[in-house]
């Protein structure tokens, strides 16, 4: 019997995953966790064979969670799920010790197969995660826009960005406007997070 813990913050999806996996003859969902705070107590108490873990696109938080699971529950294989895999997220999750990567819209038979494979000590990377690495989205930002955004990521005011990059104040504003348009972000910090997530910075 493969003992599984499901960690997913969306209640409906968590319940569906638990029910679907428990319907398999060789899989038993022994516990679930709604957030990372609950997860550590559950892992210490249950010591599952596989942890199905919802990963957010934000780095480095997601990688840190995986690394902590691997360190604190070395006998538990981490099968990470994400609704959107990016090259940095794939690389960080694997480097942190995740044994499997699956998309959140994967078909149930594929998820079950991934649970069995990771429980057996093998690695699983579903096509969506593989494609993220092999065919990453093209970086829409120019070299200068990346320089402006890196400075903005440090919280540097516009005038200081202009001085540092030897640009006119209006030129920096134009670059930031172009960055927001290209990324679809509402503000500078959202653009920074999105660009970091996609590996554009």
């Amino acid at each position: 019997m493969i003992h599984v813990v499901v960690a997913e913050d969306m209640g409906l999806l968590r319940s569906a995953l638990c029910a679907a996996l428990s319907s398999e003859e060789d899989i038993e969902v022994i516990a679930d966790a709604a957030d990372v705070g609950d997860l550590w107590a559950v892992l210490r108490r249950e010591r599952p064979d596989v942890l199905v873990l919802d990963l957010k696109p934000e780095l480095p938080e997601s990688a840190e969670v995986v690394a902590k699971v691997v360190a604190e529950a070395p006998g538990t294989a981490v099968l990470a799920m994400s609704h959107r895999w990016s090259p940095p997220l794939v690389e960080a999750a694997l480097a942190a010790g995740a044994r499997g990567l699956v998309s959140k819209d994967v078909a149930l038979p594929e998820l079950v197969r991934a649970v069995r494979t990771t429980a057996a000590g093998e690695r699983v990377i579903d096509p969506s995660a593989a494609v993220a690495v092999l065919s990453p989205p093209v970086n829409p930002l120019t070299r200068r826009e990346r320089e402006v955004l890196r400075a903005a990521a440090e919280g540097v005011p516009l005038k200081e960005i202009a001085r540092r990059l030897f640009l006119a104040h209006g030129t920096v504003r134009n670059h930031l406007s172009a960055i927001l348009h290209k990324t679809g972000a509402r503000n500078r910090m959202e653009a920074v997070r999105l660009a970091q997530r996609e590996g554009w910075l």
Side-chain angles (χ1 to χ4, degrees):
M1 185 68 73
I2 300 169
H3 296 127
V4 175
V5 166
V6 174
E8 161 63 53
D9 61 358
M10 292 179 63
L12 187 60
L13 179 55
R14 187 172 68 254
S15 298
L17 284 169
C18 291
L21 291 172
S22 292
S23 69
E24 299 294 320
E25 290 184 1
D26 59 339
I27 297 174
E28 181 185 359
V29 177
I30 52 176
D32 61 82
D35 57 48
V36 173
D38 299 334
L39 180 59
W40 310 121
V42 169
L43 289 178
R44 281 193 294 271
R45 184 178 70 244
E46 304 294 346
R47 297 292 176 186
D49 301 305
V50 178
L51 168 64
V52 178
L53 175 66
D54 173 36
L55 277 196
K56 305 303 180 201
E58 293 77 22
L59 292 169
E61 291 84 0
S62 292
E64 289 169 357
V65 172
V66 174
K68 187 172 179 183
V69 171
V70 171
E72 296 198 3
T76 298
V78 177
L79 177 59
M81 296 186 305
S82 180
H83 73 275
R84 187 159 183 267
W85 289 105
S86 65
L89 184 58
V90 170
E91 291 166 15
L94 292 176
R99 196 176 294 164
L101 309 178
V102 294
S103 170
K104 289 182 84 167
D105 62 1
V106 69
L108 179 59
E110 294 301 317
L111 177 62
V112 170
R113 188 175 300 117
V115 168
R116 290 177 178 141
T117 303
T118 53
E122 298 173 35
R123 177 164 280 182
V124 176
I125 301 178
D126 89 353
S128 65
V131 167
V133 174
L134 298 173
S135 305
V138 176
N139 189 341
L141 305 178
T142 65
R143 180 183 60 81
R144 185 58 95 181
E145 286 166 353
R146 291 195 300 273
E147 290 173 348
V148 168
L149 197 55
R150 281 192 196 100
E154 299 172 23
V156 177
L158 259 60
K159 286 184 179 178
E160 174 60 21
I161 294 174
R163 190 192 65 74
R164 184 187 292 186
L165 299 178
F166 305 103
L167 296 172
H169 186 267
T171 302
V172 172
R173 270 208 322 265
N174 290 341
H175 281 310
L176 285 171
S177 177
I179 290 166
L180 295 182
H181 176 73
K182 289 179 179 181
T183 61
R186 290 168 294 185
N187 54 55
R188 276 186 275 172
M189 295 321 293
E190 187 177 308
V192 167
R193 285 193 298 272
L194 190 149
Q196 288 173 335
R197 185 184 74 199
E198 297 296 338
W200 295 339
L201 284 184

